[in-house]
Amino acid sequence: QVQQALLALTIPLETLQAVKGRMMQAMRKGLSRQTHAEASMQMLPTYICSTPDGTENGDVLVVELCYTRVRTLWVTLLGDGNQNPQVMYKIFDMPSDVTQGTGEALFDFIAQCMRQFLTGIGSTQQHLPLGFVFPFSCKQTQLNKAELISWSKDFTCSDMEGKDIVELLQSAINKQELYNVEVIALMNDTVGTMMTCGMRGKPCEVALVAGIGTNACFMAEAYEVETAETTSGQMCINTEWGYFGDDGSLSDILTPYDQHVDEESSNPGVKRFEKLVGSLYLGETVRHVLIALAAKKALFGGTSVAILKNKEVLKTQQVLAIINNEEGMAEARRTLEALGLRPSERDCCRVQQICRVVVSRAAALSAVGLAAILSHMCQSRQLERLTVNVGVDGELYRGHTRFGEILKSVTELLAPECTATILPSEDGTGRGAAIVTAVALRLAAQRREVDNLLAPLRLSRADLQRVQALMRQEMELGLSPEGNANSSVRMLPTYVCGTPNGTERGEFLALDLGGTNFRVLVVRIEPEGIRMASEIYAIPTSTMQGTGEALFDHIVDCIMDFQLKQDLLEQILPLGFTFSFPCQQLGLNKAVLLSWTKGFSASGCVGQDVVQLLQEAAERKEHFGVQVVAVVNDTVGTMMSCGHDDPKCEIGLIVGTGTNACYMEEMKNVGTVEGEQGRMCINMEWGAFGDNGCLDNFLTDFDRMVDEKSINAGKQRFEKLISGMYLGEIVRHVLLVLVEKDLLFRGKPCPKLQTKDIFQTKFLSTIETTVMGTMVLMVPLVWGSDGLALRKIWSILQDLELQANYEDSVLVREVCQTVSLRAAHLCAAAMAAVVEKMRESRGLTRLAVTVGVDGTLYKMHPCFSQHLQQMLQDLAPNCIVTFLRSEDGSGKGAALVAAVACCQAESQGQP
């Protein structure tokens, strides 16, 4: 009979494995928004998203609500890695009527303890942050806002459930006139344990408490915590695993003894897992086993055991003392005799066996819970192997060595893919609460500094409306003959007076010069569609910044090479020349270069007709197969290219290395060209918007630093806020200031970050792809479900010789998002000015128009296009704007300009 009882309390490994699987399923249900309400494990967000970095310092007050007492602590952190915090504390015994009275009385008692403690230590501090350890189930919506879900551990204070615990405590504190005390953070004892054990230079990501009650917490991937708004990074989850099994999932391991314990408890049917594991109940379980065996005369020789029918006559502390190998038998005899029983030697031995198996079962089930958490973390981070530190506290763990041994060994059996290092909590949860509070203060202070630093880069809707108005003003100036010279937006006529209508046919050459690469194309426009062949040629930096003759000689060499490869040397084909630099167009095939941009500075070109420069280079090379019909910039080429696919395409936009826009303006508004009828494409050259100082109020110190270090200081000011050539530099300057203010990379010097252009704009696209990635705080890193993307962030920072932790990576991403969002919104404000002007010029209530768009920033950045389009819709609500990506660059557009020009010439009888 004794063996049967022992066997009933012993859970086979296969069953433990099955229970682990059920617990993992319960965890997933608790994390899901859809199934959270029905989950037995509530998986409550704690809003603790960071662990200590060791810089925390200052004084923190902690109040820890325990089972029968209140502990108050004054913790001084020295910023020394939290190795040697100074701690003063006092323990106050709590009368039983307080735990079962009103909620107001409970919090008044806690506040009175605080007042007495502070008076005793002579505190006169002006502002005192408080961390509150509250070991009961709460629905937390902020670090300092939590509603009580339910009491446990024999607490039954009235009028409390559903109330904000922090608000109640703060009110009680204020009643004591402790107005300098502010509740900063609320957490349970498990979270405090995790933070305490994370103070040894190693991150602690899991904690479990095996004491009067039981619970566990862990750092979950924030994206999977659907009940919280956070989707990025990590968040500590309070599992409330004591409730596991309330849905019947533990029915196969519950014994009659467990049923009796549950029935006699203050909350029958609730916290079934805790009643198998928590020390509040283990003595009761042993008591019911002894009653059952005595009734079967397997113990105490059939003598009366009526005393055992009294609840709580056998304490868990006595059970732990009995299973002590050296003195356990003697302790068993003393305990039983104190109850008036007369145990034999065999009785004492059997009682010791029963105590041991009850505690061992509790340890094994704790291991089941820990293994479920570890396997969940390993899976959610998509790791082959998880290595993690686990903080442990509670009288069961501290009071019985065998408990810890079973916990570790069974966890290894149930989660062989995980390596867990058990870190015992040395001094309870108080220090951990101080750390949580200090981290919250540090992060809040850092948040304020970061927000202040980034504030000038965050433009309001009113700011953008002002930019829109300024752009409209500059456009009007640029179109008028009187104001053109004073406008920063040049509004250059292109002499392109029509978009493709579908009748164009023939074979055309196209050149596309707009950056470090130069493209030559042959474009065949046929009834079935457009066929193209092209080749890309590099332009060396020495040629870009050498003489104009050398640059155009290189271009002609590339043309001749291409024609030779395409067997076109003997043909004279109409040529469209995409020349993506500011030009004053004097005709469709005559354009005077106004200034170089994008790193070009070839001499002898500014003020010259670029078509003539190309023609002269061809003559020097004795190549006479070049007939330039039209010269356009890449923006016009993009519009024409997309216009072949969509007749509504009357705007061209480039957001790449540089930025520019063009659109079809009413001829009557183009005061710089004769003629009133029809429309003409206007090359805005909006990259220079603001060069006359009209945008100075929107420029930040970072923008000014980027401008000062550029090769064209004071010019292309708008382009330097938007385009791919400069965004990486803006980010770099922001990061340098953050490092200088000790807000990034722990303030360590970053020599490589001092190098101009080292932080490339393409990094922004990579970094901003990681909206849901996760990793742990310290190297070596552990990656989340979007770990590949975050691995790229870390790789980028590592290549720059920057040792980044998780918080650094999040902050770098925030800077990138802020800079790119501003660029997209400024682009939207400028485009809003364009479409609104088109609508008004045409006398329309609503305008439907398509924008042909090209450029690596627009195409490659994961959010730029979306942010641009959303803000444009907001700023120009009377315009329906469709964006059409140009998939084959501006070369095809140049050929189409040439084709349209040829068609128009033929219709007018011109050769």
Side-chain angles (χ1 to χ4, degrees), residues 65 70 94 97-99 101-112 132 134 136 151 155 157 160 169 172:
L65 179 60
V70 170
M94 189 160 41
D97 61 329
V98 171
T99 66
T102 66
E104 184 178 4
L106 171 65
F107 284 101
D108 284 345
F109 177 78
I110 294 171
Q112 289 162 11
F132 183 33
F134 187 73
F136 303 97
W151 289 113
F155 274 69
C157 296
M160 286 285 295
L169 177 59

Side-chain angles (χ1 to χ4, degrees), residues 22 26 71 99 137 144 217 276 393 410 421 429 502 525 529 535 558 573 600 701 800 839 867 879 883 903:
R22 288 176 226 152
R71 186 165 74 128
T99 66
S137 300
N144 63 346
C217 67
L276 302 179
D393 200 1
V410 175
T421 301
T429 58
I525 306 174
E535 186 152 348
C558 296
L573 299 177
F600 279 73
D701 291 340
L800 298 176
R839 183 185 67 80
H867 292 320
C879 300
F883 284 78
C903 283

Side-chain angles (χ1 to χ4, degrees), residues 761-775:
T761 297
K762 69 178 182 181
F763 294 165
L764 276 71
S765 297
T766 302
I767 286 170
E768 290 188 57
T769 303
T770 66
V771 292
M772 292 184 356
T774 50
M775 58 183 169

Side-chain angles (χ1 to χ4, degrees), residues 67-68 100 153-155 212 261 264-266 279-288 291 307-319 335 339:
Y67 179 47
T68 58
Q100 296 172 10
K153 308 180 179 78
D154 286 346
F155 274 69
I212 294 170
V261 170
E264 290 181 358
S265 70
S266 61
S279 66
L280 185 63
Y281 303 99
L282 299 189
E284 287 295 282
T285 306
V286 170
R287 181 174 68 85
H288 279 288
I291 290 171
I307 185 67
L308 290 177
K309 293 183 180 179
N310 295 323
K311 195 178 170 191
E312 295 181 358
V313 295
L314 192 59
K315 305 291 185 184
T316 297
Q317 292 87 343
Q318 294 170 313
V319 170
T335 299
L339 293 174

Side-chain angles (χ1 to χ4, degrees), residues 781-801:
L781 298 172
V782 176
W783 307 98
S785 74
D786 290 293
L788 178 61
L790 253 172
R791 228 187 309 260
K792 290 178 182 175
I793 289 189
W794 187 71
S795 177
I796 288 167
L797 298 177
Q798 191 176 48
D799 287 346
L800 298 176
E801 298 172 5

